[in-house]
Amino acid sequence: AQTVTQSQPEMSVQEAETVTLSCTYDTSENNYYLFWYKQPPSRQMILVIRQEAYKQQNATENRFSVNFQKAAKSFSLKISDSQLGDTAMYFCAFILLTGGTSYGKLTFGQGTILTVHP
Amino acid sequence: DGGITQSPKYLFRKEGQNVTLSCEQNLNHDAMYWYRQDPGQGLRLIYYSQIVNDFQKGDIAEGYSVSREKKESFPLTVTSAQKNPTAFYLCASTLGLISGELFFGEGSRLTVL
């Protein structure tokens, strides 16, 4: 079974600064996707960024970028120029794309609460 | 607008009662999921369905049941057999595994009195 671990229950950052959220995962498979989801206080979960495991280039979406280290099974999220609206819980997630009991199932980490201070 | 609608947003239940949470999507997505969210435990998968009339147990299916009679609908029943049902429940859907992106509803908060 796949597992996803976020070791930082809470993080805080000053507005306009950069923060990095950590995520590690465990799988013996090669074909999978990794995600970062954001859950703001309003509760609706939205996708922040996605990384395909077969791609060596790190994904980037505006102020959000990832550091994907496949051999180390690490997938951290960097938020640059933090804004007050970035305050949310962030979840790292994994989905297997080949056969097996985890096929089609998204596995989430425990979440990291990020607070951006003015 | 396309999206996922969960109802009710807040629900109170007495012990021993079954309760059904509704999840409807108009995104024409094939796969639908139910997650339970508890503080400090992230999201845990209860059930998922990749096609109409078929569904699979997730990691914490005991005490829950689902049906998938229509593509648009995936209701979750929390039965009296669920020992600790108070939680926040999230429904999600995805077009397919190629994108992998899940679209979420706003959630339902169930409180057992």
Side-chain angles (χ1 to χ4, degrees):
Chain A
Q2 281 59 232
T3 59
V4 178
T5 302
Q6 294 177 247
S7 59
Q8 305 155 315
E10 295 186 39
M11 296 278 286
S12 64
V13 64
Q14 292 296 128
E15 197 174 8
E17 293 186 347
T18 295
V19 64
T20 298
L21 307 184
S22 301
C23 173
T24 58
Y25 60 96
D26 186 25
T27 183
S28 58
E29 304 292 336
N30 280 310
N31 192 13
Y32 53 88
Y33 287 170
L34 292 161
F35 306 86
W36 280 97
Y37 279 87
K38 170 184 177 181
Q39 187 181 43
S42 66
R43 291 284 193 171
Q44 187 152 27
M45 193 94 70
I46 56 173
L47 178 67
V48 175
I49 198 165
R50 179 182 70 199
Q51 175 78 44
E52 292 88 342
Y54 65 86
K55 289 186 177 178
Q56 293 186 345
Q57 186 173 7
N58 289 324
T60 298
E61 288 287 341
N62 300 314
R63 299 182 294 107
F64 299 87
S65 62
V66 299
N67 183 4
F68 174 47
Q69 301 290 327
K70 190 172 183 179
K73 298 179 183 175
S74 171
F75 183 61
S76 60
L77 174 69
K78 185 172 82 172
I79 305 174
S80 304
D81 186 25
S82 296
Q83 301 176 359
L84 297 179
D86 295 334
T87 292
M89 179 169 280
Y90 288 81
F91 290 97
C92 179
F94 169 103
I95 190 167
L96 187 64
L97 298 178
T98 54
T101 57
S102 294
Y103 177 69
K105 294 163 56 177
L106 203 66
T107 300
F108 285 85
Q110 302 92 327
T112 297
I113 298 173
L114 175 67
T115 303
V116 180
H117 298 285
Chain B
D1 285 359
I4 299 179
T5 302
Q6 288 187 241
S7 62
K9 284 191 175 181
Y10 300 95
L11 186 61
F12 297 88
R13 187 195 94 175
K14 294 182 180 179
E15 282 191 20
Q17 290 180 336
N18 292 354
V19 61
T20 298
L21 307 180
S22 170
C23 178
E24 302 279 333
Q25 55 101 355
N26 59 4
L27 300 167
N28 199 32
H29 286 174
D30 291 316
M32 298 186 73
Y33 303 77
W34 274 105
Y35 287 90
R36 171 178 170 144
Q37 185 175 7
D38 296 284
Q41 297 193 52
L43 274 67
R44 294 181 290 168
L45 182 63
I46 304 172
Y47 269 98
Y48 65 108
S49 168
Q50 296 185 355
I51 194 170
V52 175
N53 292 324
D54 187 43
F55 47 83
Q56 288 79 39
K57 293 181 178 180
D59 300 316
I60 56 166
E62 185 176 353
Y64 299 98
S65 66
V66 294
S67 64
R68 187 84 187 278
E69 297 176 1
K70 298 186 301 180
K71 188 175 184 178
E72 303 79 18
S73 179
F74 192 42
L76 173 74
T77 297
V78 184
T79 75
S80 57
Q82 169 52 233
K83 298 304 179 187
N84 185 22
T86 294
F88 188 66
Y89 292 88
L90 284 165
C91 180
S93 71
T94 185
L95 180 61
L97 298 178
I98 299 301
S99 74
E101 177 182 357
L102 260 61
F103 292 82
F104 285 85
E106 294 187 347
S108 294
R109 164 70 66 181
L110 172 63
T111 303
V112 175
L113 304 174

